[in-house]
Amino acid sequence: MTLRKKLPKMLIHLVLILFGIACIIPLISIISVSLSDETTILQEGYSFFPQGFNLSAYAYVLYKPAQLLNALKVSLLVSAIGTIISVLISAGISYVLSREDYKYKNSLSFYVFFTMLFNGGLVPTYILISNYLHLKNTIWVLILPYLAIPWFILILRTFMQKIPHTIIESCMIDGASELRIFIQMILPLAKPGLATVGLFTILQYWNDWWLSLMYIDKESLVPLQYMLYRMINNIEFLTRTASIMPGMNTVPAETARMAMAILAAGPMLLVFPFFQKYFVKGLTVGAVKG
Amino acid sequence: MAATNKKMSKTRSMKTLTLTMLALPAILVIFVFSYIPMAGIFIAFKNVNYEQGIFRSPWSGFENFNYFFSSSDAWMVVRNTLGYNTVFIVVGTLLSIIFALLLNEVISRKFLKTYQTLFFFPYFFSWIIVAYMAYSFIGPYGIVTGWLEDLGFTSFDFYTETWIWPILLTFINVWKGLGYTSIIFYAGILGISQDYFEAAAIDGASKFQTIIKITLPLLMPLITIMTLLSIGKIFYSDFGLFFFVPREVGQLYPVTQVIDTYVYRMLRQSGDIGMSSAVGLFQSMMGFVVVLLSNYMVKRVNEENKLF
């Protein structure tokens, strides 16, 4: 009897544990490669445990840290500025959309959510940004396009709709202005929602390579992810030259690649615990309606 | 009386004005980055040349579209885009519902938290990092490549074998998104009132009956909306998945090239503005039609579950 009851439970845990392992194993494998010795890798291949443990890949990648530090600076700056502005302006419009008594509520929601269904496409956007707004190779091109993302506005609006309208009314009776209600009542009450969307936004900015792939050629404005992408090509270029010139065979291509990936993914892992705290609550988009 | 009415309507319009001001920054951003490009779709009907600029270039009617649809690429990219997305939607949705149901069976908070944390990991990595991870398994020195070598498959190169990529890309895509979507569904299940489950328990319903008769039907609106949203994007692909993970190996294009990567390569590598915007417009129009159609169908089946 007990076994019959326990067996399904154990099976459920088994499936969940296996998938859980599958979720972190790739991270472990790139960490272990980055800590391995290049020649051992070339002979024996990658494995889940570091082979011939050493830090030479990191030494190689960090040898001339100027470029890396600069990319880190760009990523941090863009994520910080972008997230702050984005959360503020998304909160503004979400609040307005959550107000049943706002006169243009329906037309405004159509205006926002229509962009989830139809867009002008890559070419007109590219031409607008580069030829008319002249944002190419500026830090702003990495920030502005993501300031108002409809999906995040939807999450935030749903969250704010749950704040009882009576609170707003009682504030009005007390004579508070709309702006004051928004800043002093709504923003503090919507904190979990703001935190969730804020963390999604940080992730969006930090992990973005699209905007830099499209609009950045200038060395000083290359963010981490894009640098990582270019790094693959660079190391391949270096190894190719190394094989032509015999004296230069010291490029730890395989391990250095992974060391770079760890350096680019790392900072987000620090944000992870904060994220963890809020996401289930914030994601309860339950009965989302467009 | 008239005076108070006037005062009332004045405060009411003041209220509308302040609220509009609060929404204004977002309205502007959306206008500039979403609506102005919509006006740019006329480029698809132009024969753009650099000397004359976009506005003064001659009109070409449907020439760009004809050129695309008569090329062999058209069928390939449309087939890949729709094929992959269909598989992603079916496999992804089914698995996330199953995982949400499994998570719902876990009572211990400690386990629950651990699973949720682990499942969210893949969502946290950019596609470039995922491409590196994939490489660490299937690259020339990769772990799986090593296993295959031990089994006697020497020099098996994943990056040239076209047949394996549909499986690989589906696997990677599901791996990356499953944690996120299953937690959305799990949150949906948490939102179901406990009364239903208690009533079912009193009536002596089995676990399986409870899931089929209560959990799934009550989860249906959320499942429908999530599916509708992905069907709406069926003509769009995750650029990163198809661009970085197969590492731009030209040999793999027949099974990895999708509309998005095609438009990008057309624009950045061939510089063909007219044709890439024609393909882009085709993509947007089709996506739009598909959303309207599926919304209409859902509305006919069940009015409640419609998106708009």
Side-chain angles (χ1 to χ4, degrees):
Chain A
M1 187 63 194
T2 42
L3 186 71
R4 242 194 82 181
K5 265 198 162 162
K6 262 188 178 165
L7 198 66
K9 279 247 164 311
M10 278 160 68
L11 272 176
I12 289 173
H13 279 285
L14 187 71
V15 174
L16 293 173
I17 288 170
L18 283 179
F19 183 64
I21 293 174
C23 287
I24 45 160
I25 270 258
L27 182 66
I28 294 172
S29 80
I30 60 173
I31 291 175
S32 91
V33 174
S34 75
L35 294 172
S36 295
D37 174 55
E38 179 81 7
T39 38
T40 327
I41 290 284
L42 294 184
Q43 280 158 11
E44 321 236 320
Y46 293 174
S47 86
F48 294 126
F49 305 100
Q51 296 181 308
F53 182 90
N54 70 48
L55 293 168
S56 58
Y58 288 92
Y60 174 76
V61 172
L62 296 171
Y63 176 60
K64 282 186 193 153
Q67 203 192 357
L68 184 75
L69 287 178
N70 189 62
L72 182 70
K73 196 184 81 194
V74 173
S75 284
L76 283 174
L77 200 68
V78 167
S79 307
I81 298 176
T83 306
I84 293 169
I85 305 179
S86 171
V87 168
L88 279 178
I89 76 171
S90 306
I93 195 163
S94 306
Y95 172 59
V96 175
L97 287 173
S98 77
R99 282 279 295 260
E100 285 298 332
D101 56 340
Y102 178 60
K103 205 172 155 190
Y104 308 110
K105 181 179 168 272
N106 289 332
S107 19
L108 190 60
S109 357
F110 180 80
Y111 175 83
V112 175
F113 301 124
F114 180 68
T115 59
M116 284 168 92
L117 305 178
F118 189 78
N119 65 66
L122 169 61
V123 179
T125 314
Y126 180 79
I127 291 173
L128 172 77
I129 288 179
S130 50
N131 293 8
Y132 292 93
L133 300 176
H134 301 289
L135 288 174
K136 226 179 156 184
N137 285 318
T138 65
I139 190 108
W140 295 106
V141 81
L142 300 173
I143 295 174
L144 296 175
Y146 292 155
L147 284 183
I149 295 175
W151 176 243
F152 296 166
I153 295 175
L154 190 68
I155 295 180
L156 211 48
R157 186 209 61 175
T158 315
F159 196 89
M160 287 179 173
Q161 271 171 344
K162 287 187 204 133
I163 299 173
H165 191 73
T166 42
I167 293 181
I168 300 166
E169 268 164 16
S170 70
C171 289
M172 278 177 188
I173 293 168
D174 291 345
S177 67
E178 288 289 346
L179 198 65
R180 193 158 161 191
I181 295 172
F182 174 66
I183 295 172
Q184 294 194 332
M185 288 304 300
I186 301 302
L187 287 185
L189 282 173
K191 231 186 212 159
L194 292 174
T196 312
V197 169
L199 287 159
F200 274 127
T201 314
I202 293 181
L203 205 61
Q204 168 85 25
Y205 278 112
W206 184 268
N207 276 346
D208 186 66
W209 34 264
W210 173 250
L211 293 173
S212 37
L213 185 69
M214 291 302 291
Y215 305 110
I216 300 292
D217 311 313
K218 214 159 119 186
E219 213 56 49
S220 62
L221 286 173
V222 170
L224 262 182
Q225 302 290 337
Y226 185 46
M227 186 187 167
L228 196 60
Y229 166 63
R230 303 208 316 178
M231 194 85 173
I232 313 180
N233 302 333
N234 276 345
I235 291 185
E236 256 152 37
F237 172 75
L238 283 175
T239 31
R240 231 176 293 142
T241 18
S243 59
I244 300 166
M245 293 186 287
M248 243 185 83
N249 55 1
T250 46
V251 185
E254 298 295 330
T255 51
R257 227 196 274 279
M258 298 306 165
M260 265 307 296
I262 297 299
L263 291 176
M268 267 307 103
L269 296 177
L270 297 179
V271 177
F272 198 86
F274 296 99
F275 198 77
Q276 172 71 32
K277 215 167 104 190
Y278 290 107
F279 68 78
V280 179
K281 213 187 294 172
L283 272 180
T284 322
V285 238
V288 192
K289 292 266 165 167
Chain B
M1 197 61 191
T4 45
N5 264 345
K6 214 172 173 185
K7 204 181 160 197
M8 283 274 280
S9 75
K10 202 181 160 197
T11 47
R12 206 173 299 149
S13 65
M14 260 308 282
K15 181 180 85 186
T16 309
L17 189 72
T18 337
L19 288 177
T20 310
M21 292 305 288
L22 268 178
L24 199 61
I27 294 176
L28 283 176
V29 171
I30 293 172
F31 183 75
V32 172
F33 291 101
S34 299
Y35 282 92
I36 297 180
M38 282 182 207
I41 55 180
F42 73 89
I43 299 164
F45 304 96
K46 285 250 176 178
N47 187 0
V48 179
N49 58 49
Y50 288 98
E51 283 112 72
Q52 288 167 300
I54 295 153
F55 287 105
R56 263 174 279 158
S57 291
W59 292 96
S60 67
F62 284 90
E63 203 182 286
N64 290 321
F65 293 88
N66 281 338
Y67 190 63
F68 170 64
F69 285 113
S70 57
S71 74
S72 58
D73 296 337
W75 161 240
M76 178 188 86
V77 295
V78 172
R79 179 202 63 196
N80 285 348
T81 310
L82 295 182
Y84 278 114
N85 276 327
T86 311
V87 176
F88 292 173
I89 293 173
V90 174
V91 178
T93 310
L94 278 179
L95 283 179
S96 8
I97 295 170
I98 292 173
F99 270 82
L101 291 172
L102 292 181
L103 278 175
N104 194 42
E105 293 302 314
V106 178
I107 303 155
S108 149
R109 285 204 63 79
K110 213 168 65 193
F111 274 109
L112 199 60
K113 260 216 129 111
T114 317
Y115 292 140
Q116 288 176 347
T117 310
L118 290 177
F119 292 2
F120 239 94
F121 259 92
Y123 184 78
F124 255 71
F125 303 116
S126 74
W127 280 115
I128 296 178
I129 309 267
V130 174
Y132 275 68
M133 290 174 169
Y135 180 84
S136 81
F137 281 87
I138 59 171
Y141 306 102
I143 293 170
V144 177
T145 318
W147 291 343
L148 286 176
E149 260 166 46
D150 293 340
L151 289 172
F153 295 96
T154 42
S155 67
F156 184 86
D157 186 358
F158 281 93
Y159 289 94
T160 54
E161 296 283 341
T162 46
W163 65 270
I164 206 160
W165 280 89
I167 304 166
L168 275 178
L169 291 174
T170 307
F171 182 82
I172 295 170
N173 186 64
V174 169
W175 171 80
K176 193 169 193 293
L178 190 58
Y180 181 73
T181 44
S182 63
I183 284 167
I184 291 185
F185 286 129
Y186 172 68
I189 297 177
L190 287 186
I192 298 173
S193 164
Q194 278 301 314
D195 299 349
Y196 293 106
F197 297 112
E198 278 161 21
I202 291 168
D203 289 345
S206 73
K207 199 99 237 173
F208 186 70
Q209 282 171 323
T210 316
I211 289 172
I212 297 289
K213 297 269 157 114
I214 297 174
T215 319
L216 285 181
L218 288 175
L219 201 58
M220 219 46 206
L222 183 60
I223 297 175
T224 322
I225 283 163
M226 297 291 291
T227 314
L228 267 184
L229 284 175
S230 15
I231 290 177
K233 283 186 243 141
I234 203 161
F235 276 87
Y236 299 89
S237 316
D238 218 322
F239 183 89
L241 172 67
F242 294 95
F243 190 75
F244 298 117
V245 179
R247 308 184 69 234
E248 292 199 66
V249 178
Q251 225 171 322
L252 295 176
Y253 283 180
V255 290
T256 58
Q257 186 86 291
V258 285
I259 301 178
D260 294 81
T261 54
Y262 185 73
V263 172
Y264 173 81
R265 289 187 175 123
M266 186 78 70
L267 178 70
R268 296 304 296 264
Q269 286 159 19
S270 330
D272 194 335
I273 295 179
M275 195 163 140
S276 46
S277 55
V279 182
L281 178 57
F282 163 71
Q283 186 184 32
S284 303
M285 292 302 290
M286 291 313 288
F288 189 57
V289 170
V290 166
V291 177
L292 291 184
L293 265 181
S294 51
N295 189 54
Y296 171 76
M297 266 156 38
V298 170
K299 216 153 90 182
R300 291 206 50 181
V301 179
N302 184 350
E303 184 75 21
E304 282 273 287
N305 297 357
K306 68 179 198 282
L307 193 59
F308 46 84

